[in-house]
Amino acid sequence: MDKLQAMTTFARVVETQSFSKAAQTLSMPRSSVTTLIKNLERHLGTTLLRRSTRTLSLTDAGERYYASCRAILSDIAQAESGLLADATAPHGRIRAGMPGVIGRAIVLPRLREFEQLFPGIELTLVLSDRPVDLIYDGIDCVIRTGELADSSLTARRLGQLSWLTCAAPRYLKEYGEPDSVEALSAHRAVNYIANATGRPLDWRFNVDGENVTVTMPSRFAVNETEAYLQCGLEGLGLIQLSEFVASPYLETGRLKEVLASARSAPVSISIVYPNGRNAGAAIKAFVDWVIRIFPQSGVNPD
């Protein structure tokens, strides 16, 4: 016997004071209602309803059982309405990880908009160039660049990042501008230390349709994007930056792109989160919002 169905049917019979009316409101045959009540009474080992040709009334046991049914059915209705409310007005806490430069350039300037759209969501941004593990670091979703390893997580593409080789006018005045990838051996670079490996990243180019990797000598190396950018602005060496980070400085002349014809192929940028069954409404709301704001950020669409 489906106890929940039996309780619902019993409560409807009591409230309508009629087997026929209860059957009509529940879209069930009257015979099914009668059978359900009989089976419920047999299961409970007591009579719940006094029946006559004209009246229907509760026994003492029926009164107590009806009160319990109303409380249980009310709790179920509240639980369901709460979940439905989450779908339209998500609430809860989210920890979102992302590279610091992306957070500062794209997400932080739009947080007031996010608050207005989702006042019930409490958002913590974890800004770091270090790769984060969703489970170990307690992160609900993360923005990542580059190709993603296969996993049980859901990944949604945000666009592509193009990487530029840049230098400050001060550097170019002192060392000149490289006119080919081969000419880089006569130049200085600021290297970026990958947090995952502790080693400098190779410099990547595309020459005549072929990918070329160069290990650049340097006197300075850092492991944080803002510090890396600052080194480039100070003229300490050539740097490679994503286009959306470099653009404001290219426009003002504080940086100049070099070797534009040898730009490497763009890399993908994605937001990653638990699969649909495990992602709450708040996480999905944040992910959808990030996907909406990225095309307005200067990141290249796919």
Side-chain angles (χ1 to χ4, degrees), residues 1-298:
M1 180 180 62
D2 185 330
K3 293 182 181 179
L4 181 58
Q5 183 186 33
M7 293 171 69
T8 302
T9 303
F10 170 68
R12 191 63 58 85
V13 168
V14 174
E15 290 159 2
T16 60
Q17 287 291 293
S18 167
F19 278 73
S20 297
K21 290 179 181 178
Q24 184 177 4
T25 61
L26 293 169
S27 300
M28 295 170 59
R30 187 187 187 284
S31 60
S32 296
V33 173
T34 302
T35 301
L36 274 171
I37 299 301
K38 287 181 178 179
N39 289 341
L40 179 61
E41 290 179 325
R42 186 180 301 113
H43 171 73
L44 295 173
T46 187
T47 300
L48 300 174
L49 294 166
R50 299 189 187 93
R51 308 166 181 83
S52 69
T53 56
R54 294 185 178 181
T55 61
L56 191 66
S57 61
L58 289 167
T59 63
D60 290 343
E63 291 276 7
R64 295 194 302 274
Y65 189 68
Y66 174 63
S68 297
C69 286
R70 286 193 61 183
I72 292 170
L73 295 173
S74 176
D75 286 345
I76 292 173
Q78 286 184 349
E80 291 180 344
S81 65
L83 292 176
L84 291 172
D86 277 353
T88 55
H91 65 274
R93 296 180 178 179
I94 302 174
R95 283 172 57 84
M98 62 196 68
V101 66
I102 289 176
R104 285 185 286 270
I106 299 175
V107 178
L108 287 174
R110 304 290 292 271
L111 285 184
R112 187 174 296 278
E113 169 193 320
F114 181 81
E115 181 184 26
Q116 292 172 346
L117 290 171
F118 306 106
I121 296 179
E122 181 180 325
L123 178 62
T124 298
L125 297 181
V126 181
L127 306 183
S128 174
D129 290 350
R130 178 183 65 84
V132 299
D133 180 277
L134 271 72
I135 297 175
Y136 181 82
D137 294 303
I139 302 295
D140 297 302
C141 58
V142 62
I143 295 175
R144 289 177 174 162
T145 60
E147 295 304 315
L148 302 173
D150 293 335
S151 72
S152 59
L153 302 173
T154 298
R156 296 176 66 180
R157 292 285 291 270
L158 298 173
Q160 299 182 107
L161 290 178
S162 294
W163 293 89
L164 317 181
T165 305
C166 305
R170 178 178 176 180
Y171 173 86
L172 296 175
K173 183 177 180 180
E174 184 174 356
Y175 294 95
E177 181 175 337
D179 57 6
S180 67
V181 172
E182 291 77 12
L184 289 174
S185 58
H187 282 266
R188 297 175 56 174
V190 179
N191 274 329
Y192 185 89
I193 303 297
N195 284 277
T197 64
R199 297 179 178 179
L201 291 176
D202 287 332
W203 288 48
R204 301 182 184 278
F205 300 92
N206 187 283
V207 180
D208 297 328
E210 293 187 9
N211 294 326
V212 176
T213 299
V214 177
T215 299
M216 290 290 292
S218 68
R219 294 187 63 187
F220 302 102
V222 297
N223 69 340
E224 196 272 332
T225 304
E226 290 292 328
Y228 185 64
L229 169 62
Q230 191 61 37
C231 287
L233 293 172
E234 293 295 330
L236 298 178
L238 300 170
I239 57 175
Q240 282 197 328
L241 286 174
S242 60
E243 185 174 12
F244 87 93
V245 174
S247 289
Y249 302 96
L250 295 173
E251 292 172 1
T252 61
R254 295 187 67 190
L255 289 176
K256 179 182 179 182
E257 182 180 7
V258 299
L259 299 175
S261 61
R263 279 192 191 186
S264 63
V267 300
S268 62
I269 181 168
S270 309
I271 186 164
V272 180
Y273 59 100
N275 65 49
R277 290 178 298 175
N278 297 324
I283 296 174
K284 291 179 180 178
F286 177 75
V287 169
D288 288 342
W289 177 74
V290 168
I291 290 171
R292 287 199 303 273
I293 68 172
F294 253 72
Q296 306 162 32
S297 66

